[in-house]
Amino acid sequence: MKPGDELPPLSVPVTRTLIVAGAIASRDYQDVHHDAELAKEKGSPDIFMNILTTNGLVGRYVTDHFGPRARLRKVAIRLGAPNHPGDTMTLTGTVTDVDDGSGTVTVRIVGANRLGNHVTGTVTVMGVVGS
């Protein structure tokens, strides 16, 4: 593994159930994540995914790729375009740094949907180099 290596893309269908279940699981009871009418009153076309659900999907993407010994050391993400029901978010990743001494790999992550980039950032994972 070396900088520039790409992780295979992962397409995630964004369903109403995924959005609501993620909000409930992360105890985020803001109405914009489960009540379409109230979300519309606040200017959104529909409910939308919260950052904690996105964070979980990013973590899953990286650990699924690197395997059961991988441990997330740092996740630094930023949200952009919202994920609404009916969207598909495609996660992609590019290795930006490999540190054999610490056994860490840093991956640049992008999760895009029809509106643009939903999430961008970096994930540092350990337990995958020199194991």
Side-chain angles (χ1 to χ4, degrees):
M1 164 177 3
K2 62 187 179 315
D5 286 353
E6 294 185 4
L7 281 62
L10 173 66
S11 292
V12 179
V14 179
T15 64
R16 192 168 299 280
T17 301
L18 175 63
I19 293 169
V20 173
I24 290 169
S26 60
R27 297 181 181 179
D28 183 348
Y29 303 118
Q30 289 189 357
D31 51 26
V32 294
H33 303 308
H34 64 84
D35 188 319
E37 292 308 313
L38 287 175
K40 288 175 186 173
E41 285 178 21
K42 293 181 178 180
S44 179
D46 205 338
I47 63 172
F48 54 90
M49 185 177 287
N50 72 356
I51 192 168
L52 296 170
T53 303
T54 300
N55 193 53
L57 291 168
V58 166
R60 169 194 158 198
Y61 174 59
V62 172
T63 58
D64 280 0
H65 176 74
F66 286 107
R69 297 188 73 189
R71 295 183 318 273
L72 299 178
R73 183 164 184 207
K74 180 179 179 184
V75 178
I77 60 173
R78 180 181 195 118
L79 291 184
N83 268 338
H84 295 288
D87 287 340
T88 297
M89 177 176 65
T90 302
L91 289 161
T92 56
T94 305
V95 174
T96 59
D97 186 58
V98 177
D99 186 337
D100 292 321
S102 67
T104 62
V105 174
T106 302
V107 180
R108 172 89 176 133
I109 300 292
V110 175
N113 63 32
R114 65 183 167 79
L115 297 174
N117 289 341
H118 168 69
V119 62
T120 56
T122 58
V123 176
T124 303
V125 60
M126 59 189 311
V128 296
V129 177
S131 308

